[in-house]
Amino acid sequence: MKKSIPDAMFAERDQIRLSVLQNWILDHGVTEIVMTERQFWKFVSAQPVSEKPWATFMGRTISVPDMPEASQKHLGLFDKRQPGQI
């Protein structure tokens, strides 16, 4: 099930924990994660510094529809399943 992350999930610095996101995914049966660009960059801040920002989490694809298309392509987040995409 494709599901958007609640606005309050990454609202405060204390809540930026990957375990919170893991529990939300498992509790709600999420198969694809949709988040805003602001949520994505807060999510990235919880990841190891030495790694490129993740395009998936727990095997679920991450979608950031409000991020500029060029940035999505550069980060590997671009959804090729949209009509007209190869």
Side-chain angles (χ1 to χ4, degrees):
M1 168 184 359
K2 184 176 185 175
K3 194 156 179 119
S4 295
I5 290 181
D7 291 333
M9 183 172 288
F10 292 142
E12 297 181 26
R13 186 109 175 114
D14 295 343
Q15 291 182 325
I16 303 174
R17 294 190 194 122
L18 297 180
S19 61
V20 172
L21 184 56
Q22 289 172 339
N23 290 333
W24 176 79
I25 288 169
L26 296 173
D27 291 345
H28 293 92
V30 176
T31 57
E32 184 176 346
I33 305 164
V34 179
M35 58 179 73
T36 65
E37 186 174 8
R38 185 175 303 275
Q39 288 173 324
F40 176 76
W41 291 115
K42 287 182 179 181
F43 168 68
V44 168
S45 72
Q47 299 172 18
V49 178
S50 62
E51 294 187 25
K52 181 179 177 182
W54 300 334
T56 63
F57 184 71
M58 293 177 58
R60 280 74 170 179
T61 59
I62 296 173
S63 174
V64 188
D66 68 337
M67 182 182 282
E69 193 173 295
S71 298
Q72 290 183 48
K73 287 179 181 178
H74 180 75
L75 294 169
L77 299 171
F78 194 69
D79 187 2
K80 293 181 179 132
R81 295 175 295 168
Q82 297 174 357
Q85 301 298 321
I86 297 175

